[in-house]
């Protein structure tokens, strides 16, 4: 099982999704036993891609219970400091809350008030917090064990509370169903003198160890000790994912389009080496302005994403209209679109091209000081 590296965690923490299940600690203790101060908790971690891919690895987690959905008071947390390394397999993980150094006391659920469960994964607090259901509140049902035992007996077999009494010189003979008593004369004589103490008997066998008491409050922290020697350098971890990249190109000059022939926008060309098993995210945005000086003048311009000289299929083409109004000339319109393509491994060229569809000539894109400067972004995603 591999640990999730810092680089991977930076991406995964922003994409992580959570589903969880509370599981009661299923035990039926005897009357003298105390309720375990632990609670099983099971969850499932995936990324937020359309396929909801389950995560695998060692994930650092921290758990807490609050009295509010947001902010509020933290009533319990585990571990006391730092995190717990939790093994996640195919997205599934399971931990025993209260079993990692901080017992889960019944007082957390006292009073029947709603409690909220908070989970921190790799340093990120997941939101929203979860409402805790009925099962954990069973910690407060410990005293109901005696009532369960009485419920299995007929009511006429219960010991009645003694409500009556006998006069001096009499003794109780029987307790009636309503708690009253029947008396009889006492035949006991006066108490005799106390006899001498007999010899001490032999010491009996040692009884069984009683249940452990509740954990005491944590004492104050001691002074920090001196720093110990550095440990040996650990083995080099496995190599992370390679072959991913993100590049961006900006327009370097305006292009005036006046015909239906497509032309490459200056500066909006990238040649990228795509590794095997990769997907490529291609996006572009920019603006154009009509050159018409008429109040009803307009320009209709086609803008396309080209891959290796061919316009991209499926959302690789847009038509943009810049039209003057009665009070404003040289109107500007903008485009912004993108797509994902799976390309064979090798070198590929990506370009943004434009052509005039109808209307007056138009100025498309520009350089760094222009408000209609275009850009072309190419992101290689390793699968």
């Amino acid at each position: 099982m591999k640990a999730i590296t810092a680089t991977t965690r930076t991406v995964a923490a922003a994409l992580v999704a959570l589903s969880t299940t509370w599981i009661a600690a299923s035990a039926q203790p005897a009357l003298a036993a105390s309720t375990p101060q632990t609670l099983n908790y099971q969850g499932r971690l995936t990324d937020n891609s359309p396929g909801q891919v389950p995560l695998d690895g060692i994930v650092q987690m921290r758990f807490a219970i609050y009295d509010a959905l947001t902010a509020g008071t933290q009533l319990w947390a585990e571990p006391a400091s730092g995190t717990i390394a939790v093994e996640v397999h195919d997205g599934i993980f399971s931990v025993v809350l209260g079993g990692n150094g901080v017992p889960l006391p019944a007082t957390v659920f006292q009073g029947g008030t709603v409690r909220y469960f908070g989970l921190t994964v790799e340093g990120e607090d997941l939101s929203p917090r979860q409402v805790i259901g009925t099962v954990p509140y069973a910690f407060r049902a410990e005293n109901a064990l005696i009532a369960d035992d009485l419920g299995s007996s007929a009511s006429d077999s219960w010991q009645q509370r003694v409500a009556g009494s006998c006069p001096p010189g009499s003794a109780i003979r029987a307790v009636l169903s309503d708690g009253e008593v029947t008396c009889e004369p006492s035949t006991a004589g006066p108490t005799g003198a106390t006899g001498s103490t007999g010899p001490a008997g032999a010491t009996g066998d040692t009884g069984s160890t009683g249940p452990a008491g509740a954990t005491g409050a944590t004492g104050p922290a001691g002074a920090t000790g001196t720093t110990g020697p550095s440990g040996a350098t650990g083995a080099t971890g496995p190599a992370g994912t390679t072959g991913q990249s993100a590049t961006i190109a900006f327009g370097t000059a305006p292009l005036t389009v006046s015909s239906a022939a497509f032309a490459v926008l200056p500066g909006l060309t990238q040649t990228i080496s795509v590794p095997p098993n990769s997907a490529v995210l291609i996006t572009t945005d920019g603006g154009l302005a009509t050159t018409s000086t008429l109040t009803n003048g307009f320009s209709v311009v086609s803008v396309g994403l080209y891959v290796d000289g061919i316009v991209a299929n499926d959302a690789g083409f847009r038509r943009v209209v810049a039209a003057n109004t009665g009070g404003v000339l040289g109107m500007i319109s903008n485009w912004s679109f993108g797509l994902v393509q799976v390309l064979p491994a090798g070198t590929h060229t990506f370009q943004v091209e434009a052509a005039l569809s109808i209307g007056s000539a138009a100025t498309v894109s520009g350089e760094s000081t222009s408000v209609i400067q275009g850009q072309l972004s190419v992101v290689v995603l390793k699968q």
Side-chain angles (χ1 to χ4, degrees):
M1 185 65 65
K2 65 180 181 179
I4 294 179
T5 65
T7 300
T8 304
R9 181 180 65 79
T10 300
V11 176
L15 301 177
V16 72
L18 173 67
S19 61
T20 58
T21 302
W22 291 100
I23 303 177
S26 57
Q28 296 181 349
L31 290 179
S34 61
T35 303
Q37 292 181 301
T38 59
L39 187 67
N40 288 346
Y41 178 80
Q42 186 178 82
R44 184 170 187 264
L45 287 174
T46 71
D47 65 20
N48 261 354
S49 68
Q52 293 285 290
V53 178
L55 300 183
D56 278 280
I58 300 299
V59 180
Q60 299 298 323
M61 299 186 185
R62 190 167 189 268
F63 310 90
I65 293 177
Y66 299 83
D67 62 359
L69 181 61
T70 59
T73 300
Q74 179 178 284
L75 306 178
W76 171 89
E78 190 176 60
S81 63
T83 58
I84 300 172
V86 179
E87 182 175 333
V88 180
H89 179 67
D90 196 26
I92 301 300
F93 68 93
S94 181
V95 295
V96 178
L97 304 180
N100 295 277
V102 184
L104 184 56
T107 54
V108 171
F109 307 102
Q110 189 169 1
T113 304
V114 177
R115 298 291 184 252
Y116 301 86
F117 179 73
L119 176 60
T120 301
V121 176
E122 294 291 335
E124 179 179 0
D125 295 332
L126 300 189
S127 178
R129 297 170 182 167
Q130 294 179 296
V131 176
I132 297 178
T134 302
V135 170
Y137 287 87
F139 284 157
R140 296 294 301 164
E142 182 175 2
N143 293 333
L145 294 173
I146 297 174
D148 289 340
D149 280 7
L150 289 176
S152 63
S153 304
S155 60
D156 59 3
S157 67
W158 298 352
Q159 173 64 55
Q160 302 295 314
R161 178 178 180 273
V162 178
S165 62
C166 292
S170 299
I172 295 176
R173 177 181 180 84
V175 179
L176 304 179
S177 60
D178 61 358
E180 294 297 328
V181 299
T182 58
C183 304
E184 64 180 4
S186 176
T187 58
T191 302
T194 302
S196 59
T197 302
T203 301
D205 296 333
T206 302
S208 58
T209 303
T215 303
T218 303
T224 302
T226 57
T227 302
S230 298
T233 302
T236 301
T241 302
T242 60
Q244 300 193 140
S245 65
T247 56
I248 185 170
F250 294 97
T252 57
L255 174 69
T256 299
V257 293
S258 57
S259 71
F262 276 87
V264 178
L265 299 181
L268 300 190
T269 299
Q270 291 199 58
T271 299
I272 304 294
S273 179
V274 178
N277 301 319
S278 298
V280 182
L281 171 63
I282 315 161
T283 61
T284 181
D285 60 69
L288 58 93
T290 181
T291 62
S292 175
T293 58
L294 301 176
T295 57
N296 60 349
F298 66 93
S299 299
V300 179
V301 177
S302 297
V303 180
L305 275 173
Y306 282 71
V307 179
D308 297 330
I310 301 173
V311 67
N313 294 327
D314 300 327
F317 179 84
R318 291 291 185 273
R319 185 156 288 164
V320 185
V321 178
N324 292 333
T325 66
V328 180
L329 303 180
M331 285 296 293
I332 294 174
S333 290
N334 298 284
W335 77 85
S336 178
F337 61 99
L339 53 85
V340 174
Q341 286 201 339
V342 177
L343 301 174
T347 301
H348 297 275
T349 299
F350 306 91
Q351 295 175 309
V352 181
E353 299 188 14
L356 181 67
S357 295
I358 58 174
S360 299
T363 301
V364 185
S365 187
E367 36 72 44
S368 61
T369 62
S370 173
V371 297
I372 58 174
Q373 182 186 29
Q375 69 88 21
L376 169 64
S377 297
V378 180
V379 180
V380 177
L381 305 172
K382 185 73 172 179
Q383 297 187 23

